[in-house]
Each structure stands twice: as structure tokens, then as C-alpha cells.
């Protein structure tokens, strides 16, 4: 079966760095997405990785290791507005997105 | 209209009633999707459409139907609602259904409660 695993909840301090991990087992791989979802709102796109390595975009970076079925999202200089759920999704062999349950990130002052 | 709109924003529905959730996009995207999101679970695909005139079943299609008469609209119908269909429903679209990069854009969601 297809499976995406990520921690249910994480807590971090404003100004700090946090790493959210995602492991996956899917039928085929056509890229991995990270989305941000604030409570009561729609998911919004953060990053996309299809090749191994690190993609940096401002305070956010995303890493992929295809051989390990592993990705992480790194958030630097945390701000209160970063409190949200972070969703990991893998595009499978049919280009359908398989979604993890999301990681709720709580930022404390 | 900018992006994807959904209607209604929220709805309370009696079990057994028929309900259609509306979704419209103005980005001329070929592919559209309906998901449900339940606490503790990831987004689950209900139905999808790769292009106007075609539809397909996702992971959890039972009790739902869709149509795609044109590029912009993708309504989701619950023929006879049941309490287990209480959920938040998101409509999404992407430029293409295939190809390695198919970022999906989401509507604001419809919160549905079936009593």
C-alpha cells in the first residue's frame, strides 16, 4: 500500500529552527510537495522536490532523498505566523498526490 | 473571480438529503480534484477530472458523483447524505494531470455537517 508518515505535532520557539520529517512508500515517484495549511484555511504550496538534495526558498528549505524515501522541511527564524499544519504529499506513478496527515506546528514566544 | 471558488462555505444537512457542492476555477486549468479532509487523516481524493468531459474515481468515491461539462466547473454531488460524510471538502485544480510538476491550487473549502 501507499503510505506517507510525518509527526502529528511539533512545538518550537519563535526565532528558532525546526525540521519536519516525512517518510514515504508509494507506487512510483514523480516528486514530493510540501504545503502549508493554517487552521480553517486551504492548503497553499510551499515547495517541490523531484531530485535529491536541498531546495532553498527564503526561510524555508526542503530536502529529498529518493533512495531513503525521505524528505524534510526546514523552517528558519520561526515567526508566530508559521504556526500551521505542514502537509507532505507525493506524486505517485499516476501523478496522483498521496497526502500525509500533516504536522501541526505550534510556535511559542 | 480569482483562482478557485467553492460554495457554500458551510452547510448543515439532514441525512438522506441530496446536496451539490459547487467549484469554479478561472485559471483554465485542465485537471480538477475533490478531496475530503478529516481530523487525523490526510487529504483523501474523492474524484478527479483530467480534462473537461472526463472523470475518474479516487480513493473514497462511494456516495459521491461528479461531472465536468466544461473547463471551469466541477460540482460534487452527494446523492443521499450520511453522517460519515461530515467533513471539510476541498476542490483543487492543476494545469496538467500529468507531468512531474503538477502543483495543485485549492479552493477555500466547504464545511459540511450531516445530521
Amino acid at each position: 500500500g501507499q503510505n506517507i508518515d510525518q509527526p502529528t505535532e511539533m512545538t518550537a520557539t519563535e526565532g528558532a529552527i525546526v525540521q519536519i520529517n516525512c517518510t514515504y512508500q508509494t507506487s512510483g515517484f514523480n516528486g514530493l510537495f510540501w504545503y502549508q495549511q493554517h487552521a480553517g484555511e486551504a492548503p497553499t504550496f510551499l515547495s517541490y522536490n523531484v531530485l535529491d538534495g536541498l531546495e532553498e526558498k527564503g526561510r524555508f528549505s526542503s530536502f529529498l532523498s529518493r533512495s531513503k524515501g525521505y524528505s524534510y522541511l526546514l523552517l528558519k527564524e520561526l515567526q508566530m505566523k508559521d504556526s500551521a499544519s505542514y502537509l507532505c504529499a507525493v506524486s505517485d506513478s499516476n501523478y496522483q498526490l498521496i497526502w500525509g496527515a500533516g504536522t501541526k506546528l505550534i510556535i511559542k514566544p | 473571480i480569482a483562482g478557485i471558488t467553492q460554495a457554500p462555505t458551510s452547510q448543515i444537512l439532514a441525512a438522506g438529503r441530496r446536496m451539490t457542492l459547487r467549484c469554479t476555477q478561472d485559471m483554465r486549468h485542465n485537471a480538477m480534484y475533490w478531496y475530503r479532509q478529516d481530523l487525523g487523516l490526510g487529504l483523501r481524493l474523492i474524484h478527479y477530472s483530467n480534462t473537461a468531459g472526463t472523470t475518474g474515481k479516487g480513493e473514497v468515491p462511494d456516495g459521491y458523483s461528479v461531472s465536468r461539462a466544461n473547463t471551469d466547473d466541477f460540482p460534487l454531488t452527494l446523492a443521499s447524505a450520511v453522517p460519515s460524510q461530515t467533513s471539510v471538502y476541498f476542490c483543487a485544480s492543476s494545469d496538467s494531470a500529468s507531468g512531474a510538476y503538477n502543483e495543485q491550487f485549492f479552493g477555500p473549502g466547504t464545511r459540511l455537517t450531516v445530521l
Side-chain angles (χ1 to χ4, degrees):
Chain A
Q2 308 204 92
N3 195 48
I4 310 285
D5 286 319
Q6 47 182 135
T8 302
E9 186 174 296
M10 299 181 70
T11 301
T13 304
E14 190 177 16
I17 299 173
V18 70
Q19 177 176 311
I20 302 173
N21 296 324
C22 171
T23 58
Y24 63 89
Q25 291 178 305
T26 57
S27 57
F29 179 84
N30 282 303
L32 186 143
F33 292 82
W34 284 96
Y35 279 75
Q36 181 189 58
Q37 185 177 26
H38 285 101
E41 297 183 7
T44 55
F45 170 80
L46 283 178
S47 69
Y48 172 74
N49 294 70
V50 67
L51 299 176
D52 290 351
L54 188 68
E55 294 281 343
E56 297 186 81
K57 189 186 295 184
R59 293 189 299 115
F60 293 7
S61 303
S62 56
F63 171 84
L64 175 67
S65 169
R66 288 173 296 171
S67 62
K68 295 182 179 178
Y70 167 71
S71 173
Y72 67 73
L73 180 69
L74 191 71
L75 292 73
K76 303 177 185 176
E77 301 170 14
L78 286 170
Q79 301 175 10
M80 297 303 293
K81 67 178 183 179
D82 297 329
S83 292
S85 289
Y86 292 86
L87 313 181
C88 175
V90 172
S91 179
D92 71 7
S93 57
N94 295 317
Y95 301 101
Q96 298 287 359
L97 291 188
I98 310 301
W99 296 82
T103 298
K104 182 178 181 180
L105 179 63
I106 300 168
I107 309 296
K108 295 186 175 180
Chain B
I1 299 177
I4 302 181
T5 58
Q6 294 184 234
T9 302
S10 65
Q11 182 76 44
I12 299 174
L13 190 66
R17 298 297 294 268
R18 180 184 179 89
M19 175 75 191
T20 295
L21 308 185
R22 300 183 298 279
C23 174
T24 299
Q25 54 105 359
D26 66 354
M27 297 177 283
R28 308 303 293 173
H29 282 171
N30 287 307
M32 296 187 76
Y33 313 86
W34 273 106
Y35 292 96
R36 60 177 290 173
Q37 187 176 41
D38 302 291
L39 196 64
L41 300 176
L43 289 162
R44 291 184 291 168
L45 183 65
I46 303 170
H47 284 286
Y48 64 93
S49 169
N50 289 338
T51 189
T54 69
T55 62
K57 294 181 179 180
E59 179 187 355
V60 289
D62 293 344
Y64 306 95
S65 63
V66 291
S67 62
R68 186 88 183 277
N70 57 60
T71 297
D72 299 345
D73 301 300
F74 191 43
L76 176 74
T77 297
L78 288 67
S80 179
V82 294
S84 62
Q85 292 177 311
T86 294
S87 188
V88 179
Y89 291 85
F90 286 103
C91 179
S93 71
S94 65
D95 184 42
S96 172
S98 63
Y101 182 75
N102 58 338
E103 177 190 346
Q104 294 185 11
F105 297 82
F106 285 81
T110 294
R111 185 174 297 274
L112 181 67
T113 302
V114 182
L115 301 176

